[in-house]
Amino acid sequence: MTQAEVFLKNILGDTHQGRLIDKLGNFATENFGDQGLQFFNTLTAAQVLYQLYETKQERKSAARTVLGKVTIDKINAFCKSEKNVEKQKEFAARHLAIYELAMSQC
């Protein structure tokens, strides 16, 4: 996780620190009227967008895990039945390339 992602998670994520956004928004609304309300609405929209981003990242991580396990199991099964080392290498390289392509599309 990059520093920017950690910062966004701390500020916008669904944690106790996310309440800071609510307090800041309330302060802005009370002290700056309509402009403060606009600011608060922007913060709320940012929270929703971050939560959507976080959900997408979780799905990508789950897909990587499942697809990685399937790929490894497929390669292992082939290598158990095929004794030719060159065919094993070719099969593994092809399936790892497919895995990499699939991950780049996520």
Side-chain angles (χ1 to χ4, degrees):
M1 190 178 281
T2 66
Q3 287 182 337
E5 289 173 327
V6 170
F7 174 77
L8 289 174
K9 181 171 182 60
N10 286 340
I11 298 300
L12 299 175
D14 190 21
T15 66
H16 68 282
Q17 294 175 4
R19 295 185 189 145
L20 175 65
I21 295 295
D22 294 334
K23 290 179 182 177
L24 184 59
N26 289 336
F27 174 80
T29 302
E30 290 172 6
N31 293 300
F32 298 101
D34 288 340
Q35 289 179 335
L37 182 59
Q38 277 184 318
F39 178 70
F40 181 67
N41 289 339
T42 302
L43 291 175
T44 303
Q47 281 181 309
V48 170
L49 289 174
Y50 180 77
Q51 288 169 356
L52 290 172
Y53 167 79
E54 199 171 39
T55 301
K56 182 179 178 184
Q57 292 302 100
E58 289 170 0
R59 285 194 314 249
K60 283 173 78 173
S61 177
R64 279 192 178 105
T65 301
V66 170
L67 188 56
K69 174 124 177 67
V70 168
T71 301
I72 290 169
D73 289 347
K74 188 181 269 191
I75 291 170
N76 285 337
F78 181 81
C79 290
K80 284 180 184 176
S81 64
E82 179 59 55
K83 299 304 175 200
N84 185 332
V85 175
E86 291 304 316
K87 286 185 180 179
Q88 289 178 353
K89 288 179 183 179
E90 181 183 314
F91 184 85
R94 184 177 42 212
H95 281 80
L96 289 173
I98 292 168
Y99 172 80
E100 289 295 323
L101 180 64
M103 291 301 97
S104 71
Q105 301 297 316
C106 285

